[in-house]
Each structure stands twice: as structure tokens, then as C-alpha cells.
Amino acid sequence: MIKKVLIANRGEIAARVIRTCEKMGITSVAVYSEADEHAPFVSLADESYLLGPAHVNESYMNTDKIFEIAKLANVDAIHPGYGFLSENARFADRCKQEGFLFIGPEAEVIKQMGDKIAARKAMQRAGVPVVPGNDQAIEDVDEAVKLAKSIGYPVMLKASAGGGGIGMQVVHNEEELRKSFANNSERALNFFGNGSMFLEKKIDHAHHIEIQILADELGNIVHLFDRECSIQRRNQKVIEEAPSPFISENTRIKMGEAAILAAKSIDYSNAGTIEFLVDSEENYYFLEMNTRIQVEHPVTEEITGIDIVEMQFLIADNKPLPFKQEEVRRTGHAIEARIYAEDPIRFFPSPGTITSITLPKGENIRNDITFTENYKVTPFYDPMIGKLIVRGKTRDEAVQNLQTALNDYRIEGIKTNIPMLQKTAEIEAFKQGITTTAFVEEYYLPLIQINEGGN
């Protein structure tokens, strides 16, 4: 039985895991860098330990120090959150070797799904549709040019070991491909230790829709319906909602079945997400699998009433899922807006000290944050500082609640993307649920260019 857990992460997700630990009577152990010494998540935990300097390689990616603290604190398990070490197969394997439960799937599954080419092949074997593309690592640009011609432009150039939009670029012709191949390969090598690339057909006006799954160690698998995650900037999500306003109930059922099939085919356990691209005709294609909890998991929790972090702990503790698929109910609509410390026009990070905060309040509003007044946002980590989640009986009601909440949201001292979120929530296409992956380029950027030109 898990009695004490170390959270190998920081910020909002660390605070989120700590809340569930409190609910379940699990002692929480936080680890932090020198830059995060005064961050709220540090004091929220039952115990906290300094990892090292601000740089991630000396703190949140310093596995030797993490295991040293885990042994010192005498924990039973390690929760990796998202990002950092959450999809690091070697870390998961070492947890097992060191005698700690890893709150996530087996290392081999993480490794397989972390390699985008291996994941494509696994899904093809399972009979899950994949985006048209190549299934071998591309080592040089001439090979890439040849493959791109056979697939047909535009194509997506992607890092095999990539994630978070790193090493990814839309390419429209041979000239662009030749210019971008080396840079993206080098960037992937620097971030992931693997510079291998591959190509997929670019699906225009696609919807990025994912299915949340839970799988226990006894072979029981359920899905918790879908999330629409199409509003993105720099290939990173900004607004997510559940359920998707685009797909039909028939497609929703089929995608849920496909996600369960995908998880079964690789003997998956714990929480995970199957991500799909869906075209204008509602044809869906496997994109990737995230073998961890997602940033956007709260919208699923809001429409199902299921605490996904709690399920992660129960599964890791070898407990069966406490419900069957037919017992999972969907009620209402939820929308999440990511709060970034960044310039809302140029999307550049905006570190600094938060001097004043006013958070929106109400029974249909959830704030997943880990900042306070006088909190210093540093340049060392991802600029996301929190999430605003709203719900409603219908999507229209949820959109209205989002608009009201964003108008009540105030952060002073730094630039944030709140103005971008406010504008997005007022765009007619958003209110109508027309939210493809081209939304920011088609609706938001032209809007701010007009406004800038008018000034």
C-alpha cells in the first residue's frame, strides 16, 4: 500500500498531486530547485527537499539526487507528473530497480510509445488508423526529399523521439524541407538525444482530439471520453475542452473503442492518452500516445467526476479499477485555458515578479495554480503558471463562464496570455465550436494584426 510518495516535478502539477495525496491520506514529499525555494508547492507538501541549482539538469532531471532523496525520505513511490522525467523509460526502470513504485506504465511501454516510429508500427499492427507517412527513421535530407514527394506536400517533419512541438515543422515544398531538416534534426538531438526524423502527411484544418484511458494491472481498460485540444500556438495547446464540439457521438464511440484497442495491444497500465488527428470528414488517425497524466486532464475530471491522479495511485497499488466502462458517465461541458507568463502577441516568455492577483471565483470555476502575490516567475522552466477550468451544463454555458472568468482574472507585474484567451473566447468561430489546429493562425493572429495596425 502506498503511504508516502515523492513528486518528481514542480509547479502546478506538483500541487495537483499533493491535493490528491491529502485526500487519500498519502504523505507527500516535494523536491525543488533553488529557483523554486519559495514556490507554493514546496510548502504545500508534508515534506520538501532541495534538489540543486535552477538548471533542470542539476535539479528536476538529476535522477541520482532524486533517488538519494527518495531513500532519505523513505518513500514507497514516485509520481513523475508531466514533462521532465514522466516519459523517461530509464527513470521508470530505475525506480523499479531501486525498489520504488513508479506511478505510470512499465518502462518498455514508455520506450515503445516514446519512439514515434515504433508507436506508429504498433498501432498499425493493432489495426488503429495512422496518419499517412513513413515508418523508418530518416537519416539524411535527400532521403527525406524522396519520401516527401511520394507522400505529397505539405508534410509534417517530426522528430522520432520528439514531443511538445520540439523538432516539428510544417513543410510545403522541397526548398523548405532542405532548409529545415538539419536544424530540426539537431534540435531533436539536443533535446532528446536522438536526431532521427520522419514524415507524415499534413492534414489541413484537422482537429486534435484525444481519448483519456485508464488501465489497471488486471487487464481492465476504460476510456473517459474525449478532449478537443486543437487551439494551439507553436504546436503547443492553449485551450482544451471536453467533450469535443466537433465529432459526432458515433465517431466518439469508435474513437473510444480504438483507444482501448491501442492500449490493450501494448499491455498498457495506469493513466494514458491516445491522441488522434481528425479530418473534416471525421476520419481519425493515431498521432501519438502520452504515457503519463496530461496537462489538460482536469476537463475530463470535470465531466466524469473521476479523480485521475487518484486512479493512478490505485492502479500502481495493484488495485482494480473501481468502475466498468458502462458506469462511466459524462455530464456537462468543461473548458480549460492555460495561463502562460508570456507576451500575448509574440508568445515570448515573460519572467518577473507577480505583484498582484485577482482570481475568478464561483462554483463552476476551478483554478489549478501554484503562484501567489510576490511570486517570482523564473526563466528556467515552462512559462505555464496555471490553468483556469470552467464548466457548464452545456457548451454555450461553459463558454459564457469562460468569458466571465477570464474578464475577472487579473495578474499584475508580468505579461500573461490572458488578453489572448479573452480575445479567443470572444471570437465567433470559437463560440460556434469551429476549433481546428489552424485556429490561431486563421482567427487570432489576423485579429491582433488588425488591432496593431489600427494603433
Side-chain angles (χ1 to χ4, degrees), residues 57-68:
N57 289 335
E58 298 178 275
S59 53
Y60 298 106
M61 297 294 286
N62 186 343
T63 55
D64 288 339
K65 186 65 176 179
I66 288 171
F67 285 113
E68 178 186 319

Side-chain angles (χ1 to χ4, degrees), residues 133-385:
N134 75 294
D135 299 322
Q136 300 294 332
I138 304 170
E139 302 297 341
D140 63 75
V141 69
D142 289 332
E143 183 185 357
V145 167
K146 183 178 178 181
L147 284 166
K149 287 179 181 178
S150 65
I151 295 170
Y153 291 102
V155 296
M156 292 294 297
L157 176 65
K158 291 186 174 184
S160 176
I166 297 167
M168 181 190 302
Q169 186 171 335
V170 180
V171 178
H172 297 90
N173 52 53
E174 180 178 334
E175 182 182 2
E176 285 185 15
L177 181 54
R178 289 190 178 278
K179 286 181 178 179
S180 59
F181 186 89
N183 287 339
N184 281 283
S185 180
E186 183 178 356
R187 192 158 185 247
L189 181 64
N190 291 335
F191 272 87
F192 310 116
N194 182 347
S196 296
M197 308 298 290
F198 73 107
L199 294 173
E200 285 182 343
K201 178 67 178 174
K202 170 70 166 60
I203 299 175
D204 290 325
H205 295 91
H207 289 259
H208 187 142
I209 297 175
E210 57 192 32
I211 306 291
Q212 174 73 59
I213 62 104
L214 294 171
D216 64 26
E217 299 286 352
L218 306 176
N220 302 307
I221 306 177
V222 302
H223 70 78
L224 305 185
F225 304 106
D226 56 291
R227 297 187 286 254
E228 173 93 37
C229 307
S230 300
I231 299 183
Q232 305 175 6
R233 53 90 175 107
R234 298 200 309 261
N235 295 312
Q236 291 186 316
K237 301 162 189 171
V238 180
I239 295 177
E240 303 99 349
E241 57 185 302
S244 166
F246 171 66
I247 60 174
S248 66
E249 282 300 317
N250 184 51
T251 300
R252 180 170 287 114
I253 291 169
K254 289 181 179 178
M255 290 179 70
E257 292 171 347
I260 290 176
L261 176 63
K264 281 183 177 177
S265 72
I266 57 172
D267 295 323
Y268 195 82
S269 65
N270 215 269
T273 301
I274 311 293
E275 301 201 353
F276 296 93
L277 283 182
V278 184
D279 68 18
S280 59
E281 302 298 319
E282 296 193 46
N283 299 304
Y284 55 89
Y285 305 94
F286 171 81
L287 181 63
E288 64 180 1
M289 182 176 192
N290 287 297
T291 54
R292 53 171 169 77
I293 196 164
Q294 295 276 91
V295 175
E296 57 270 24
H297 76 274
V299 291
T300 297
E301 293 183 327
E302 292 300 318
I303 66 166
T304 63
I306 294 170
D307 183 330
I308 295 174
V309 175
E310 181 180 8
M311 293 303 106
Q312 287 190 290
F313 282 125
L314 291 177
I315 293 167
D317 222 359
N318 208 27
K319 302 288 195 307
L321 288 171
F323 42 76
K324 294 179 170 56
Q325 184 66 64
E326 57 270 22
E327 296 174 306
V328 180
R329 295 286 183 264
R330 185 181 87 230
T331 304
H333 200 96
I335 305 174
E336 173 182 287
R338 301 190 188 192
I339 308 298
Y340 287 102
E342 68 179 17
D343 185 304
I345 295 176
R346 295 169 181 83
F347 306 141
F348 293 153
S350 175
T353 300
I354 295 174
T355 57
S356 175
I357 303 168
T358 302
L359 295 177
K361 297 179 181 179
E363 62 175 340
N364 292 316
I365 294 172
R366 167 176 166 179
N367 289 293
D368 281 15
I369 63 169
T370 181
F371 58 83
T372 58
E373 287 187 3
N374 299 317
Y375 174 66
K376 185 177 181 180
V377 179
T378 73
F380 301 110
Y381 313 114
D382 185 272
M384 193 188 80
I385 56 175

